[in-house]
């Protein structure tokens, strides 16, 4: 007997002509069980009416860049938002009024905007994460577990390398990795972190987590967490090649979130960690 194939998760991307929006549109080709049904941009965007596949540098999708989120969303299950922080509360309000799940990758939200997301998550399921890379989120869980298992006899370093134009140092991901290690050790990260901003600091005092930053060429983002003692050294490394790593995570999160209860989730939930 033939079984009916499960229907695909219908997704709308908002901020579709942006760097992340385009990466997400390209990444649909690499994730099963999902369908792009809409792509939305600002009211006055110059590319409205164009095919979003062509805009993203791949084949035609038949999906036209629109500025009418409400109409597009009525035919979808979930909305992925990579826009600008001020746009997020408006999109959350619409999604929650229409009963549609959301994935939010947009960063830089202030307290009021963040509260709007939390309020929306009382009505619909929302995944919200500042780093959607599946690999980085897996690394967060692994280094916490490693720290808890190895204990305080190992010296821990978080080493990060990024392109020379990166403004913040250490990277947000390096800080989160350090926090996860500290959680595993039962330490207060703020109190035990030493930042080696230019490689000049070569010591490693007892009870400290050293975060080392390097700025080189066009490196997208490398992070290594190491645990060492006199006898051995264990290293966990993640290297990001492109923003497709965030895009794939966002599409995976969209597929996952549609069948959840209303609540606020992060990528650790999506990965079952
Ligand atoms: P971008 O500027 O290239 O793209 C943002 C797009 O959103 C633009 O095309 C803009 O026109 C559109 N936009 C702005 N307001 C809008 C509105 N009200 N309605 C519809 N479209 C609107 O930026 P980007 O590099 O794609 O990044 C977007 C956001 O995602 C930023 O906040 C960035 O920090 C964040 N980001 C998150 C992750 C993650 O893993 N969570 C990864 C990369 C970037």
């Amino acid at each position: 007997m033939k079984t009916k194939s499960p229907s695909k998760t219908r997704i709308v991307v908002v901020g579709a002509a942006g760097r992340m929006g385009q990466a997400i549109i390209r990444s649909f080709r690499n994730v099963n069980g999902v369908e792009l049904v809409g792509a939305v941009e600002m009211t006055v965007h110059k590319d409205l009416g164009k095919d979003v596949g062509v805009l993203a540098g791949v084949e035609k999708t038949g999906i036209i860049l629109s500025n009418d989120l409400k109409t597009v969303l009525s035919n979808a299950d979930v909305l992925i938002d990579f826009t600008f922080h001020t746009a997020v509360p408006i999109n959350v309000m619409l999604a929650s009024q229409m009963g549609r799940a959301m994935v939010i990758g947009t960063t830089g939200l202030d307290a009021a905007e963040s509260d709007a997301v939390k309020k929306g998550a009382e009505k619909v399921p929302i995944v919200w994460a500042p780093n959607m890379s599946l690999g980085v989120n897996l690394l967060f869980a692994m280094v916490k577990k490693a720290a808890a298992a190895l204990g305080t006899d190992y010296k821990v370093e978080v080493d990060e390398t990024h392109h020379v134009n990166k403004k913040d140092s250490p990277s947000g991901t390096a800080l989160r990795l350090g926090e996860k290690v500290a959680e595993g050790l039962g330490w207060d990260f703020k109190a035990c972190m030493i930042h080696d901003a230019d490689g000049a600091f070569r010591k490693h005092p007892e009870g400290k987590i050293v975060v080392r930053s390097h700025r080189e060429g066009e490196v997208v983002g490398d992070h290594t967490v190491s645990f060492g003692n006199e006898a051995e050294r264990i290293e966990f490394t993640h290297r990001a090649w492109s923003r497709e790593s965030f895009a794939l995570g966002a599409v995976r999160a969209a597929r996952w979130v549609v069948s959840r209860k209303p609540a606020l989730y992060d990528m650790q939930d999506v990965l079952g960690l």
Side-chain angles (χ1 to χ4, degrees):
M1 193 180 81
K2 271 191 180 173
T3 51
K4 190 172 171 277
S5 61
S7 56
K8 292 185 174 181
T9 300
R10 300 166 305 161
I11 300 175
V12 170
V13 179
V14 190
R19 283 167 293 195
M20 276 306 301
Q22 292 192 8
I24 290 169
I25 283 155
R26 289 192 292 273
S27 74
F28 269 85
R29 301 172 306 156
N30 301 319
V31 184
N32 296 321
V34 291
E35 183 183 2
L36 177 69
V37 297
V40 176
E41 258 295 340
M42 303 225 280
T43 325
V44 292
H45 198 279
K46 66 177 173 51
D47 290 324
L48 294 174
K50 293 187 184 162
D51 186 286
V52 293
V54 175
L55 282 176
V58 291
E59 64 277 8
K60 270 193 171 181
T61 58
I63 303 296
I64 300 303
L65 191 67
S66 160
N67 60 7
D68 183 356
L69 178 56
K70 194 170 179 186
T71 301
V72 167
L73 197 54
S74 63
N75 189 35
D77 304 305
V78 53
L79 157 64
I80 300 180
D81 182 312
F82 279 82
T83 56
F84 190 62
H85 63 98
T86 54
V88 174
I90 302 158
N91 295 339
V92 170
M93 191 186 290
L94 189 62
S96 63
Q97 280 168 356
M98 294 177 71
R100 300 299 192 267
M102 257 188 108
V103 173
I104 303 171
T106 307
T107 59
L109 278 67
D110 66 20
E113 291 158 352
S114 302
D115 283 346
V117 175
K118 289 173 196 155
K119 203 148 180 267
E122 291 169 7
K123 296 217 176 88
V124 292
I126 298 180
V127 175
W128 185 28
N131 187 324
M132 296 251 163
S133 149
L134 297 176
V136 162
N137 281 280
L138 181 63
L139 198 65
F140 290 153
M142 286 170 71
V143 298
K144 179 175 172 182
K145 205 162 184 180
L150 294 171
T152 55
D153 295 341
Y154 286 73
K155 290 190 170 171
V156 188
E157 294 191 2
V158 180
D159 202 277
E160 58 107 347
T161 305
H162 285 87
H163 54 89
V164 290
N165 295 319
K166 184 167 178 64
K167 294 195 179 82
D168 52 327
S169 174
S171 69
T173 301
L175 290 173
R176 181 68 75 87
L177 286 166
E179 281 165 17
K180 291 290 168 189
V181 169
E183 277 174 30
L185 294 173
W187 287 357
D188 174 358
F189 180 60
K190 281 205 176 99
C192 69
M193 195 266 270
I194 294 179
H195 184 212
D196 179 12
D198 52 11
F201 183 87
R202 300 316 309 172
K203 293 185 222 127
H204 194 136
E206 281 296 315
K208 297 290 181 189
I209 295 171
V210 178
V211 179
R212 299 192 195 283
S213 298
H214 312 274
R215 296 291 170 259
E216 287 173 23
E218 297 182 8
V219 180
V220 174
D222 293 352
H223 293 88
T224 294
V225 179
S226 62
F227 298 81
N229 64 15
E230 299 287 300
E232 64 180 349
R233 182 177 164 95
I234 306 111
E235 295 183 351
F236 295 85
T237 296
H238 178 268
R239 295 188 203 286
W241 305 132
S242 75
R243 53 176 60 86
E244 252 76 359
S245 58
F246 309 120
L248 282 170
V251 178
R252 280 271 299 263
R255 196 178 63 189
W256 178 89
V257 76
V258 284
S259 54
R260 307 293 138 183
K261 289 192 206 130
L264 197 55
Y265 300 96
D266 65 16
M267 289 303 286
Q268 303 285 303
D269 298 311
V270 176
L271 284 169
L273 297 168

